[in-house]
Amino acid sequence: DSSGNEFLQVHRSLRKGDIVAVTGFPGKSKKGELSIVPKSIVLMVPCLHDIPSGRGDGKYSLQNKSIRYRQRHLDMLANGMEVKEVFKTRAAVISYIRKFLDDIEFLEVETPVLYDSSGGATARPFITHLETDNVRALSMRIAP
């Protein structure tokens, strides 16, 4: 039928990671999941890089721990719920520690990460420049 052909045509033009605008109405899938019954789908922003799958069985799997920790957004896209649980647990632990320290009247103070001059450590500092102020060099602090 024409709607099946139209669906295949739209489905072939979209990739995992594309941002789309959908016009339609809420409904349920055959499995009973809440969904949107689309009347129109417009590609807003195409995904320019392949998003890895988390299964580890495909060409684009994301199993490398180094990449998973440095690019958390990819890890969440590829490995979904298991990564979400780790983030929820981490947020709960941090929240608990903050509340505990607040209750005993500790004060949280944020310190700058970039300084005009480096000092206090024997390590060679990372030097950078701000786009708005390219005249002076800034040093990133060594200690967290």
Short mmCIF file of all heavy atoms in Angstrom, two decimals, residues 31-100:
data_model
loop_
_atom_site.label_atom_id
_atom_site.label_comp_id
_atom_site.label_asym_id
_atom_site.label_seq_id
_atom_site.Cartn_x
_atom_site.Cartn_y
_atom_site.Cartn_z
N LYS A 31 2.62 -3.41 20.60
CA LYS A 31 3.07 -3.99 21.87
C LYS A 31 2.49 -3.26 23.08
O LYS A 31 2.78 -3.61 24.21
CB LYS A 31 4.60 -3.96 21.96
CG LYS A 31 5.29 -4.85 20.96
CD LYS A 31 6.79 -4.78 21.15
CE LYS A 31 7.50 -5.65 20.14
NZ LYS A 31 8.96 -5.58 20.31
N GLY A 32 1.71 -2.20 22.85
CA GLY A 32 1.10 -1.46 23.94
C GLY A 32 1.94 -0.31 24.47
O GLY A 32 1.59 0.31 25.47
N GLU A 33 3.06 0.00 23.81
CA GLU A 33 3.92 1.09 24.26
C GLU A 33 3.36 2.42 23.79
O GLU A 33 2.85 2.53 22.67
CB GLU A 33 5.33 0.92 23.70
CG GLU A 33 6.02 -0.33 24.18
CD GLU A 33 7.34 -0.58 23.46
OE1 GLU A 33 7.46 -0.15 22.28
OE2 GLU A 33 8.23 -1.18 24.06
N LEU A 34 3.45 3.46 24.65
CA LEU A 34 3.01 4.79 24.24
C LEU A 34 3.89 5.28 23.11
O LEU A 34 5.11 5.09 23.12
CB LEU A 34 3.09 5.76 25.42
CG LEU A 34 2.06 5.53 26.53
CD1 LEU A 34 2.30 6.52 27.66
CD2 LEU A 34 0.65 5.69 26.00
N SER A 35 3.30 5.91 22.13
CA SER A 35 4.05 6.35 20.96
C SER A 35 3.34 7.55 20.34
O SER A 35 2.36 8.05 20.87
CB SER A 35 4.12 5.19 19.95
OG SER A 35 4.94 5.55 18.87
N ILE A 36 3.87 8.00 19.22
CA ILE A 36 3.23 9.06 18.43
C ILE A 36 2.91 8.47 17.07
O ILE A 36 3.78 7.88 16.41
CB ILE A 36 4.16 10.28 18.28
CG1 ILE A 36 4.40 10.92 19.65
CG2 ILE A 36 3.56 11.29 17.32
CD1 ILE A 36 5.33 12.10 19.62
N VAL A 37 1.66 8.63 16.66
CA VAL A 37 1.27 8.23 15.31
C VAL A 37 1.55 9.44 14.43
O VAL A 37 0.86 10.46 14.52
CB VAL A 37 -0.22 7.83 15.25
CG1 VAL A 37 -0.63 7.44 13.84
CG2 VAL A 37 -0.51 6.70 16.24
N PRO A 38 2.59 9.34 13.58
CA PRO A 38 3.02 10.54 12.85
C PRO A 38 2.16 10.86 11.64
O PRO A 38 1.71 9.97 10.93
CB PRO A 38 4.44 10.18 12.41
CG PRO A 38 4.44 8.69 12.32
CD PRO A 38 3.46 8.20 13.34
N LYS A 39 1.91 12.14 11.46
CA LYS A 39 1.30 12.61 10.22
C LYS A 39 2.39 13.13 9.28
O LYS A 39 2.27 13.03 8.08
CB LYS A 39 0.28 13.70 10.50
CG LYS A 39 -0.97 13.18 11.17
CD LYS A 39 -2.04 14.25 11.18
CE LYS A 39 -3.29 13.69 11.79
NZ LYS A 39 -4.40 13.72 10.88
N SER A 40 3.45 13.72 9.89
CA SER A 40 4.58 14.17 9.09
C SER A 40 5.86 14.08 9.93
O SER A 40 5.82 14.22 11.15
CB SER A 40 4.38 15.61 8.62
OG SER A 40 4.44 16.50 9.71
N ILE A 41 6.96 13.82 9.24
CA ILE A 41 8.27 13.77 9.87
C ILE A 41 9.21 14.62 9.03
O ILE A 41 9.28 14.45 7.82
CB ILE A 41 8.82 12.33 9.94
CG1 ILE A 41 7.89 11.43 10.76
CG2 ILE A 41 10.22 12.31 10.54
CD1 ILE A 41 8.29 9.99 10.77
N VAL A 42 9.90 15.56 9.70
CA VAL A 42 10.83 16.45 9.01
C VAL A 42 12.20 16.29 9.65
O VAL A 42 12.33 16.37 10.87
CB VAL A 42 10.37 17.92 9.10
CG1 VAL A 42 11.37 18.84 8.44
CG2 VAL A 42 8.99 18.09 8.49
N LEU A 43 13.21 16.04 8.84
CA LEU A 43 14.58 15.96 9.33
C LEU A 43 15.06 17.37 9.65
O LEU A 43 15.15 18.22 8.78
CB LEU A 43 15.49 15.31 8.28
CG LEU A 43 16.97 15.25 8.60
CD1 LEU A 43 17.21 14.37 9.83
CD2 LEU A 43 17.75 14.72 7.41
N MET A 44 15.37 17.61 10.94
CA MET A 44 15.83 18.93 11.37
C MET A 44 17.36 19.03 11.31
O MET A 44 17.89 19.97 10.76
CB MET A 44 15.35 19.24 12.79
CG MET A 44 13.84 19.17 12.96
SD MET A 44 12.97 20.38 12.00
CE MET A 44 13.28 21.84 12.94
N VAL A 45 18.04 18.03 11.91
CA VAL A 45 19.50 18.02 11.95
C VAL A 45 19.97 16.58 11.71
O VAL A 45 19.66 15.70 12.50
CB VAL A 45 20.03 18.50 13.32
CG1 VAL A 45 21.55 18.50 13.34
CG2 VAL A 45 19.50 19.88 13.67
N PRO A 46 20.72 16.36 10.64
CA PRO A 46 21.22 15.00 10.40
C PRO A 46 22.40 14.68 11.31
O PRO A 46 23.18 15.56 11.68
CB PRO A 46 21.65 15.04 8.94
CG PRO A 46 21.99 16.46 8.68
CD PRO A 46 21.08 17.27 9.56
N CYS A 47 22.51 13.44 11.69
CA CYS A 47 23.66 12.98 12.48
C CYS A 47 24.79 12.71 11.49
O CYS A 47 24.64 11.92 10.55
CB CYS A 47 23.30 11.71 13.24
SG CYS A 47 24.63 11.10 14.26
N LEU A 48 25.93 13.36 11.68
CA LEU A 48 27.03 13.26 10.72
C LEU A 48 27.99 12.12 11.03
O LEU A 48 28.82 11.78 10.20
CB LEU A 48 27.78 14.58 10.66
CG LEU A 48 26.93 15.78 10.25
CD1 LEU A 48 27.76 17.06 10.27
CD2 LEU A 48 26.32 15.58 8.88
N HIS A 49 27.89 11.55 12.23
CA HIS A 49 28.76 10.44 12.61
C HIS A 49 27.91 9.25 13.04
O HIS A 49 26.85 9.43 13.64
CB HIS A 49 29.68 10.84 13.78
CG HIS A 49 30.56 12.01 13.46
ND1 HIS A 49 31.67 11.90 12.67
CD2 HIS A 49 30.46 13.31 13.80
CE1 HIS A 49 32.24 13.09 12.55
NE2 HIS A 49 31.51 13.96 13.23
N ASP A 50 28.36 8.05 12.74
CA ASP A 50 27.63 6.88 13.16
C ASP A 50 27.68 6.74 14.67
O ASP A 50 28.73 6.88 15.30
CB ASP A 50 28.23 5.62 12.52
CG ASP A 50 27.94 5.56 11.03
OD1 ASP A 50 26.80 5.88 10.65
OD2 ASP A 50 28.85 5.19 10.27
N ILE A 51 26.52 6.50 15.27
CA ILE A 51 26.44 6.30 16.71
C ILE A 51 26.66 4.82 16.97
O ILE A 51 25.99 3.97 16.38
CB ILE A 51 25.08 6.76 17.25
CG1 ILE A 51 24.95 8.26 17.06
CG2 ILE A 51 24.92 6.36 18.71
CD1 ILE A 51 23.63 8.82 17.48
N PRO A 52 27.61 4.48 17.84
CA PRO A 52 27.89 3.07 18.09
C PRO A 52 26.75 2.39 18.81
O PRO A 52 25.99 3.02 19.54
CB PRO A 52 29.15 3.11 18.96
CG PRO A 52 29.19 4.46 19.54
CD PRO A 52 28.46 5.37 18.60
N SER A 53 26.62 1.09 18.60
CA SER A 53 25.65 0.31 19.36
C SER A 53 26.34 -0.22 20.60
O SER A 53 27.55 -0.39 20.61
CB SER A 53 25.10 -0.84 18.52
OG SER A 53 26.10 -1.82 18.35
N GLY A 54 25.60 -0.48 21.65
CA GLY A 54 26.19 -0.94 22.89
C GLY A 54 26.29 -2.45 22.98
O GLY A 54 26.83 -2.98 23.93
N ARG A 55 25.75 -3.14 21.99
CA ARG A 55 25.66 -4.60 22.09
C ARG A 55 27.00 -5.29 21.92
O ARG A 55 27.19 -6.40 22.37
CB ARG A 55 24.69 -5.11 21.04
CG ARG A 55 23.27 -4.64 21.27
CD ARG A 55 22.33 -5.25 20.27
NE ARG A 55 22.73 -4.99 18.90
CZ ARG A 55 22.41 -3.91 18.20
NH1 ARG A 55 21.70 -2.97 18.77
NH2 ARG A 55 22.80 -3.76 16.96
N GLY A 56 27.94 -4.65 21.27
CA GLY A 56 29.25 -5.26 21.08
C GLY A 56 29.30 -6.26 19.94
O GLY A 56 30.31 -6.90 19.71
N ASP A 57 28.19 -6.37 19.21
CA ASP A 57 28.16 -7.36 18.14
C ASP A 57 28.18 -6.72 16.75
O ASP A 57 28.23 -7.41 15.75
CB ASP A 57 26.92 -8.24 18.27
CG ASP A 57 25.63 -7.43 18.24
OD1 ASP A 57 25.71 -6.19 18.18
OD2 ASP A 57 24.55 -8.04 18.29
N GLY A 58 28.17 -5.41 16.71
CA GLY A 58 28.07 -4.76 15.41
C GLY A 58 29.34 -4.05 15.01
O GLY A 58 30.33 -3.98 15.75
N LYS A 59 29.30 -3.51 13.81
CA LYS A 59 30.43 -2.78 13.25
C LYS A 59 30.75 -1.54 14.08
O LYS A 59 31.88 -1.12 14.19
CB LYS A 59 30.07 -2.39 11.82
CG LYS A 59 31.10 -1.57 11.09
CD LYS A 59 30.61 -1.28 9.69
CE LYS A 59 31.53 -0.33 8.96
NZ LYS A 59 31.01 0.07 7.67
N TYR A 60 29.72 -0.95 14.70
CA TYR A 60 29.90 0.31 15.41
C TYR A 60 29.70 0.14 16.92
O TYR A 60 29.17 1.02 17.58
CB TYR A 60 28.92 1.36 14.88
CG TYR A 60 29.08 1.61 13.41
CD1 TYR A 60 28.14 1.17 12.51
CD2 TYR A 60 30.21 2.26 12.93
CE1 TYR A 60 28.30 1.38 11.16
CE2 TYR A 60 30.38 2.48 11.59
CZ TYR A 60 29.41 2.04 10.70
OH TYR A 60 29.58 2.25 9.38
N SER A 61 30.10 -0.97 17.49
CA SER A 61 29.88 -1.20 18.92
C SER A 61 30.77 -0.29 19.76
O SER A 61 31.85 0.11 19.34
CB SER A 61 30.11 -2.65 19.28
OG SER A 61 31.46 -2.98 19.12
N LEU A 62 30.31 0.00 20.97
CA LEU A 62 31.07 0.86 21.89
C LEU A 62 31.37 0.05 23.14
O LEU A 62 30.57 -0.01 24.06
CB LEU A 62 30.26 2.11 22.25
CG LEU A 62 30.96 3.09 23.18
CD1 LEU A 62 32.21 3.65 22.53
CD2 LEU A 62 30.03 4.22 23.54
N GLN A 63 32.53 -0.59 23.16
CA GLN A 63 32.94 -1.38 24.31
C GLN A 63 34.24 -0.87 24.92
O GLN A 63 34.58 -1.23 26.03
CB GLN A 63 33.11 -2.86 23.91
CG GLN A 63 31.81 -3.51 23.46
CD GLN A 63 30.75 -3.50 24.54
OE1 GLN A 63 31.02 -3.85 25.69
NE2 GLN A 63 29.55 -3.08 24.20
N ASN A 64 34.97 -0.02 24.20
CA ASN A 64 36.23 0.51 24.68
C ASN A 64 35.98 1.40 25.90
O ASN A 64 35.33 2.44 25.81
CB ASN A 64 36.88 1.32 23.54
CG ASN A 64 38.24 1.86 23.92
OD1 ASN A 64 38.47 2.28 25.04
ND2 ASN A 64 39.14 1.87 22.96
N LYS A 65 36.51 0.98 27.07
CA LYS A 65 36.24 1.71 28.31
C LYS A 65 36.79 3.12 28.28
O LYS A 65 36.19 4.05 28.83
CB LYS A 65 36.81 0.95 29.50
CG LYS A 65 35.98 -0.23 29.88
CD LYS A 65 36.41 -0.79 31.21
CE LYS A 65 35.48 -1.95 31.55
NZ LYS A 65 35.67 -2.42 32.90
N SER A 66 37.91 3.32 27.63
CA SER A 66 38.50 4.65 27.55
C SER A 66 37.55 5.61 26.83
O SER A 66 37.30 6.73 27.30
CB SER A 66 39.83 4.57 26.81
OG SER A 66 40.34 5.84 26.56
N ILE A 67 37.00 5.19 25.71
CA ILE A 67 36.06 6.04 24.96
C ILE A 67 34.77 6.21 25.75
O ILE A 67 34.19 7.30 25.80
CB ILE A 67 35.79 5.44 23.57
CG1 ILE A 67 37.06 5.51 22.73
CG2 ILE A 67 34.64 6.17 22.88
CD1 ILE A 67 36.96 4.82 21.39
N ARG A 68 34.31 5.13 26.39
CA ARG A 68 33.07 5.21 27.17
C ARG A 68 33.17 6.26 28.27
O ARG A 68 32.21 6.98 28.53
CB ARG A 68 32.74 3.85 27.78
CG ARG A 68 32.23 2.84 26.78
CD ARG A 68 31.85 1.56 27.43
NE ARG A 68 30.69 1.78 28.29
CZ ARG A 68 30.17 0.83 29.05
NH1 ARG A 68 30.69 -0.37 29.09
NH2 ARG A 68 29.13 1.10 29.80
N TYR A 69 34.32 6.38 28.94
CA TYR A 69 34.46 7.34 30.03
C TYR A 69 34.75 8.75 29.54
O TYR A 69 34.37 9.73 30.18
CB TYR A 69 35.53 6.88 31.02
CG TYR A 69 35.07 5.71 31.84
CD1 TYR A 69 35.70 4.48 31.76
CD2 TYR A 69 33.96 5.82 32.67
CE1 TYR A 69 35.26 3.40 32.49
CE2 TYR A 69 33.51 4.74 33.41
CZ TYR A 69 34.16 3.53 33.32
OH TYR A 69 33.71 2.47 34.04
N ARG A 70 35.43 8.90 28.41
CA ARG A 70 35.74 10.23 27.90
C ARG A 70 34.59 10.83 27.12
O ARG A 70 34.45 12.05 27.04
CB ARG A 70 37.00 10.19 27.03
CG ARG A 70 38.27 10.14 27.85
CD ARG A 70 39.51 10.26 26.99
NE ARG A 70 39.74 9.00 26.29
CZ ARG A 70 39.82 8.87 24.98
NH1 ARG A 70 39.73 9.90 24.20
NH2 ARG A 70 40.01 7.69 24.43
N GLN A 71 33.76 9.99 26.50
CA GLN A 71 32.64 10.49 25.69
C GLN A 71 31.34 9.91 26.25
O GLN A 71 30.73 9.03 25.65
CB GLN A 71 32.85 10.12 24.23
CG GLN A 71 34.09 10.75 23.66
CD GLN A 71 34.30 10.44 22.19
OE1 GLN A 71 33.40 9.97 21.50
NE2 GLN A 71 35.49 10.70 21.70
N ARG A 72 30.94 10.44 27.40
CA ARG A 72 29.79 9.89 28.12
C ARG A 72 28.50 9.99 27.32
O ARG A 72 27.60 9.17 27.47
CB ARG A 72 29.63 10.59 29.47
CG ARG A 72 30.80 10.40 30.41
CD ARG A 72 31.10 8.95 30.65
NE ARG A 72 30.36 8.45 31.80
CZ ARG A 72 30.34 7.18 32.17
NH1 ARG A 72 31.01 6.28 31.51
NH2 ARG A 72 29.65 6.80 33.20
N HIS A 73 28.38 11.02 26.47
CA HIS A 73 27.17 11.16 25.67
C HIS A 73 27.01 9.96 24.73
O HIS A 73 25.91 9.45 24.54
CB HIS A 73 27.18 12.48 24.90
CG HIS A 73 28.32 12.62 23.95
ND1 HIS A 73 29.63 12.82 24.37
CD2 HIS A 73 28.38 12.56 22.60
CE1 HIS A 73 30.42 12.90 23.31
NE2 HIS A 73 29.67 12.74 22.23
N LEU A 74 28.11 9.49 24.14
CA LEU A 74 28.05 8.31 23.28
C LEU A 74 27.72 7.06 24.08
O LEU A 74 26.96 6.20 23.64
CB LEU A 74 29.38 8.09 22.54
CG LEU A 74 29.69 9.03 21.40
CD1 LEU A 74 31.03 8.66 20.77
CD2 LEU A 74 28.60 8.98 20.36
N ASP A 75 28.30 6.97 25.26
CA ASP A 75 28.04 5.83 26.13
C ASP A 75 26.55 5.76 26.47
O ASP A 75 25.94 4.68 26.42
CB ASP A 75 28.88 5.95 27.40
CG ASP A 75 28.90 4.68 28.23
OD1 ASP A 75 28.61 3.59 27.68
OD2 ASP A 75 29.23 4.76 29.42
N MET A 76 25.95 6.89 26.78
CA MET A 76 24.52 6.89 27.11
C MET A 76 23.66 6.55 25.91
O MET A 76 22.67 5.82 26.02
CB MET A 76 24.10 8.24 27.69
CG MET A 76 24.63 8.44 29.09
SD MET A 76 23.88 9.84 29.91
CE MET A 76 22.24 9.22 30.20
N LEU A 77 24.04 7.04 24.73
CA LEU A 77 23.27 6.70 23.52
C LEU A 77 23.38 5.22 23.19
O LEU A 77 22.40 4.58 22.80
CB LEU A 77 23.77 7.53 22.33
CG LEU A 77 23.32 8.97 22.28
CD1 LEU A 77 24.08 9.73 21.20
CD2 LEU A 77 21.84 9.06 22.03
N ALA A 78 24.58 4.66 23.34
CA ALA A 78 24.80 3.28 22.92
C ALA A 78 24.35 2.27 23.97
O ALA A 78 23.82 1.22 23.62
CB ALA A 78 26.29 3.07 22.62
N ASN A 79 24.57 2.56 25.24
CA ASN A 79 24.34 1.57 26.28
C ASN A 79 23.15 1.90 27.19
O ASN A 79 22.92 1.20 28.16
CB ASN A 79 25.62 1.39 27.11
CG ASN A 79 26.75 0.89 26.26
OD1 ASN A 79 26.58 -0.01 25.45
ND2 ASN A 79 27.92 1.47 26.40
N GLY A 80 22.44 2.95 26.88
CA GLY A 80 21.17 3.31 27.49
C GLY A 80 20.96 3.11 28.97
O GLY A 80 21.55 3.79 29.79
N MET A 81 20.09 2.16 29.31
CA MET A 81 19.59 2.02 30.68
C MET A 81 20.66 1.65 31.70
O MET A 81 20.64 2.15 32.81
CB MET A 81 18.46 0.98 30.71
CG MET A 81 17.21 1.43 29.99
SD MET A 81 16.60 3.05 30.51
CE MET A 81 16.02 2.65 32.14
N GLU A 82 21.60 0.78 31.33
CA GLU A 82 22.63 0.40 32.32
C GLU A 82 23.49 1.60 32.69
O GLU A 82 23.87 1.77 33.84
CB GLU A 82 23.47 -0.76 31.82
CG GLU A 82 24.33 -0.44 30.61
CD GLU A 82 25.04 -1.66 30.06
OE1 GLU A 82 24.36 -2.60 29.66
OE2 GLU A 82 26.28 -1.63 30.03
N VAL A 83 23.78 2.47 31.72
CA VAL A 83 24.57 3.68 31.99
C VAL A 83 23.74 4.67 32.79
O VAL A 83 24.24 5.32 33.71
CB VAL A 83 25.07 4.31 30.67
CG1 VAL A 83 25.77 5.62 30.93
CG2 VAL A 83 25.97 3.35 29.95
N LYS A 84 22.45 4.76 32.48
CA LYS A 84 21.56 5.67 33.21
C LYS A 84 21.53 5.29 34.68
O LYS A 84 21.54 6.18 35.55
CB LYS A 84 20.16 5.61 32.61
CG LYS A 84 19.19 6.58 33.24
CD LYS A 84 17.83 6.50 32.59
CE LYS A 84 16.88 7.45 33.26
NZ LYS A 84 15.53 7.35 32.71
N GLU A 85 21.50 4.02 35.00
CA GLU A 85 21.49 3.58 36.40
C GLU A 85 22.78 3.99 37.12
O GLU A 85 22.74 4.39 38.28
CB GLU A 85 21.27 2.08 36.50
CG GLU A 85 19.87 1.65 36.13
CD GLU A 85 18.79 2.35 36.95
OE1 GLU A 85 18.94 2.44 38.19
OE2 GLU A 85 17.81 2.82 36.35
N VAL A 86 23.92 3.91 36.42
CA VAL A 86 25.19 4.34 37.01
C VAL A 86 25.14 5.83 37.32
O VAL A 86 25.55 6.27 38.41
CB VAL A 86 26.38 4.01 36.08
CG1 VAL A 86 27.67 4.65 36.57
CG2 VAL A 86 26.55 2.51 35.94
N PHE A 87 24.62 6.64 36.39
CA PHE A 87 24.52 8.08 36.61
C PHE A 87 23.56 8.40 37.75
O PHE A 87 23.82 9.30 38.55
CB PHE A 87 24.07 8.80 35.34
CG PHE A 87 25.17 9.02 34.35
CD1 PHE A 87 25.08 8.53 33.07
CD2 PHE A 87 26.30 9.72 34.70
CE1 PHE A 87 26.09 8.72 32.16
CE2 PHE A 87 27.32 9.94 33.79
CZ PHE A 87 27.22 9.43 32.52
N LYS A 88 22.44 7.68 37.83
CA LYS A 88 21.49 7.91 38.91
C LYS A 88 22.11 7.58 40.26
O LYS A 88 21.94 8.32 41.24
CB LYS A 88 20.22 7.08 38.68
CG LYS A 88 19.33 7.66 37.58
CD LYS A 88 18.18 6.75 37.24
CE LYS A 88 17.17 6.68 38.35
NZ LYS A 88 15.98 5.88 37.97
N THR A 89 22.86 6.48 40.32
CA THR A 89 23.52 6.09 41.57
C THR A 89 24.56 7.12 41.97
O THR A 89 24.64 7.54 43.13
CB THR A 89 24.16 4.70 41.43
OG1 THR A 89 23.15 3.76 41.06
CG2 THR A 89 24.83 4.26 42.71
N ARG A 90 25.36 7.56 41.00
CA ARG A 90 26.40 8.57 41.27
C ARG A 90 25.77 9.86 41.78
O ARG A 90 26.23 10.46 42.76
CB ARG A 90 27.20 8.84 40.00
CG ARG A 90 28.30 9.86 40.18
CD ARG A 90 29.04 10.10 38.85
NE ARG A 90 30.13 11.00 39.02
CZ ARG A 90 30.04 12.33 38.99
NH1 ARG A 90 28.86 12.90 38.78
NH2 ARG A 90 31.09 13.08 39.15
N ALA A 91 24.68 10.31 41.13
CA ALA A 91 24.00 11.53 41.55
C ALA A 91 23.44 11.39 42.96
O ALA A 91 23.50 12.32 43.76
CB ALA A 91 22.88 11.88 40.57
N ALA A 92 22.90 10.21 43.30
CA ALA A 92 22.35 9.98 44.63
C ALA A 92 23.46 10.02 45.69
O ALA A 92 23.27 10.59 46.78
CB ALA A 92 21.62 8.64 44.68
N VAL A 93 24.61 9.43 45.39
CA VAL A 93 25.74 9.44 46.34
C VAL A 93 26.22 10.87 46.56
O VAL A 93 26.42 11.30 47.70
CB VAL A 93 26.89 8.54 45.84
CG1 VAL A 93 28.15 8.77 46.63
CG2 VAL A 93 26.47 7.07 45.88
N ILE A 94 26.40 11.62 45.50
CA ILE A 94 26.85 13.02 45.62
C ILE A 94 25.83 13.84 46.40
O ILE A 94 26.18 14.65 47.26
CB ILE A 94 27.14 13.62 44.23
CG1 ILE A 94 28.38 12.97 43.63
CG2 ILE A 94 27.30 15.14 44.32
CD1 ILE A 94 28.65 13.33 42.20
N SER A 95 24.55 13.63 46.11
CA SER A 95 23.49 14.35 46.82
C SER A 95 23.52 14.02 48.31
O SER A 95 23.38 14.91 49.16
CB SER A 95 22.13 13.98 46.22
OG SER A 95 21.10 14.61 46.90
N TYR A 96 23.71 12.75 48.65
CA TYR A 96 23.78 12.33 50.05
C TYR A 96 24.97 12.99 50.76
O TYR A 96 24.83 13.51 51.87
CB TYR A 96 23.87 10.82 50.16
CG TYR A 96 24.03 10.35 51.58
CD1 TYR A 96 22.93 10.24 52.42
CD2 TYR A 96 25.29 10.05 52.10
CE1 TYR A 96 23.07 9.84 53.73
CE2 TYR A 96 25.45 9.66 53.42
CZ TYR A 96 24.34 9.55 54.23
OH TYR A 96 24.49 9.16 55.53
N ILE A 97 26.13 12.97 50.12
CA ILE A 97 27.33 13.57 50.72
C ILE A 97 27.14 15.07 50.92
O ILE A 97 27.47 15.62 51.97
CB ILE A 97 28.59 13.27 49.87
CG1 ILE A 97 28.91 11.78 49.93
CG2 ILE A 97 29.77 14.11 50.32
CD1 ILE A 97 29.99 11.34 48.95
N ARG A 98 26.55 15.75 49.91
CA ARG A 98 26.29 17.19 50.03
C ARG A 98 25.35 17.48 51.20
O ARG A 98 25.56 18.39 51.97
CB ARG A 98 25.67 17.72 48.75
CG ARG A 98 26.66 18.34 47.84
CD ARG A 98 26.02 19.30 46.87
NE ARG A 98 27.09 19.70 45.99
CZ ARG A 98 27.21 19.30 44.74
NH1 ARG A 98 26.31 18.53 44.21
NH2 ARG A 98 28.23 19.69 44.02
N LYS A 99 24.27 16.69 51.29
CA LYS A 99 23.31 16.90 52.37
C LYS A 99 23.96 16.66 53.73
O LYS A 99 23.76 17.43 54.67
CB LYS A 99 22.10 15.97 52.20
CG LYS A 99 21.02 16.22 53.25
CD LYS A 99 19.86 15.29 53.08
CE LYS A 99 18.80 15.45 54.13
NZ LYS A 99 19.18 15.88 55.43
N PHE A 100 24.76 15.60 53.83
CA PHE A 100 25.46 15.30 55.09
C PHE A 100 26.35 16.47 55.50
O PHE A 100 26.32 16.92 56.64
CB PHE A 100 26.28 14.02 54.94
CG PHE A 100 27.15 13.72 56.13
CD1 PHE A 100 26.60 13.14 57.26
CD2 PHE A 100 28.50 14.03 56.12
CE1 PHE A 100 27.40 12.87 58.37
CE2 PHE A 100 29.30 13.77 57.21
CZ PHE A 100 28.75 13.19 58.36
#
